[in-house]
Amino acid sequence: MTAGYSGTSGERRPVPRHLLSVADLGQEGIQEVMALADSFAEVSERSIPRVPALRGKTVMSLFYEDSTRTRLSFEAAAKRLSADTLTFTVSASSVSKGECLRDTAETISAMGVDAVVIRHASAGAPWQVASWVDACVINAGDGWHEHPTQALLDCYTIRSRMGSLHGLRIAIVGDVKHSRVARSDVLAFTMLGAEVTLVAPPTLLPPNLSGWPVRVSSDLDAVLGNCGVVYMLRMQAERQTEALLPSLREYTARFGLTRARADLLADDALVMHPGPMNRGVEIAADVAELPCSVITRQVANGVAVRMAVLFLLLGASPRG
Ligand code: NCD
């Protein structure tokens, strides 16, 4: 496997140094990650799921916000590539003594890590860290802004079930305003030729959607019968500083994926959610278990996709 990918005109496009936004990869880069993920998915099925591709490299996770799936998935991915892993736990570090992001980043840099996987509550924090450290920086979610590896694993999951995203109608439903997943998914899905419709109450949409290549609807029932994928977003209660909804019950009544609504979906349509789910709010408990739900597949695919990302960035790295 080589680092770098061909552009549409056939020229070799350099691998980005960091993965901060889906835009760093572009359409060809996303395709390259998915092709690499195909080969790494096969590694994950072996009795000893490990290859020596990144032996001698060190990957650090630096999570300033809680995470279950993303952190574990990156750590599993790094281990399956034989990289060393370091986990920085903010609550058990000098951050609790007031150490700033820059000093923490410089400490990490001094230790000679090759990649930093960062999640932070502030939009733009991964860009800041990338300007301070020598390591490759991977954005594992920055505030409401972006979550590029979630978008990559979502594209990969859709491609594995549908063959392609080209011309596919995808509805992204719920708290778009506070969702970094929605921002990265819109970029990635549309780069691969999908038609995206955002379905949300006006208070849960970003105040300005100009430049977003999407349609908008507030009628979930009308959209459901006409889409190939329905992507439910978590209600981000922790990011809501004002009363944006009359009540959660009313929200669920209009925008929740209930069992009755799931019956409106086409036979081959997929139900997705990035997790963690608020069962009974944006998605009914039994809908998450239906055969059309690929929510567990998303988690499983996340490891292969993150192996692909680490390999793409670190395999091309001149360090070490
Ligand atoms: C998302 C996140 O943290 O941005 N979850 C995830 O990474 N799997 C979505 C969310 O928290 O709603």
Side-chain angles (χ1 to χ4, degrees), residues 65-71 119 140-143 146-147 149-150 153 178-181 231 233-236 238-239 273-278 282 299 306:
E65 268 193 343
D66 295 341
S67 169
T68 304
R69 287 158 202 78
T70 308
R71 190 171 57 74
R119 169 169 286 192
D142 63 322
E146 275 231 41
H147 191 352
T149 58
Q150 179 70 42
L153 75 88
H178 302 101
S179 176
R180 53 196 174 205
V181 172
Y231 196 105
L233 297 170
R234 183 173 66 88
M235 182 64 74
Q236 311 247 328
E238 78 280 16
R239 299 194 203 278
H273 191 298
M277 286 183 270
N278 295 308
E282 69 266 1
V299 178
R306 291 180 172 115

Side-chain angles (χ1 to χ4, degrees), residues 115-175:
V116 178
V117 177
I118 177 170
R119 169 169 286 192
H120 201 282
S122 302
W127 277 259
Q128 285 277 298
V129 171
S131 72
W132 295 326
V133 301
D134 290 333
C136 300
V137 177
I138 300 172
N139 182 0
D142 63 322
W144 309 358
H145 183 219
E146 275 231 41
H147 191 352
T149 58
Q150 179 70 42
L152 291 169
L153 75 88
D154 290 335
C155 290
Y156 184 75
T157 303
I158 298 171
R159 192 200 66 160
S160 336
R161 290 291 288 257
M162 301 292 209
S164 160
L165 279 78
H166 196 81
L168 190 67
R169 293 202 184 96
I170 303 180
I172 300 182
V173 185
D175 187 358

Side-chain angles (χ1 to χ4, degrees), residues 41 44-45 150 153-154 156-158 160-161 270-273 288 291-305:
S44 296
E45 275 155 25
Q150 179 70 42
L153 75 88
D154 290 335
Y156 184 75
T157 303
I158 298 171
S160 336
R161 290 291 288 257
L270 304 180
V271 172
M272 301 178 72
H273 191 298
C292 59
S293 160
V294 289
I295 297 168
T296 314
R297 254 348 290 163
Q298 288 172 267
V299 178
N301 288 337
V303 178
V305 166

Side-chain angles (χ1 to χ4, degrees), residues 47-100:
S47 55
I48 301 175
R50 196 172 279 248
V51 286
L54 294 184
R55 189 182 283 152
K57 304 277 187 188
T58 304
V59 176
M60 172 177 275
S61 25
L62 178 60
F63 277 61
Y64 284 83
E65 268 193 343
D66 295 341
S67 169
T68 304
R69 287 158 202 78
T70 308
R71 190 171 57 74
L72 291 176
S73 177
F74 266 110
E75 290 177 5
K79 287 191 163 79
R80 287 181 192 179
L81 294 168
S82 305
D84 293 324
T85 53
L86 294 174
T87 306
F88 178 96
T89 311
V90 168
S91 59
S93 74
S94 291
V95 172
S96 60
K97 300 180 194 162
E99 184 160 64
C100 68

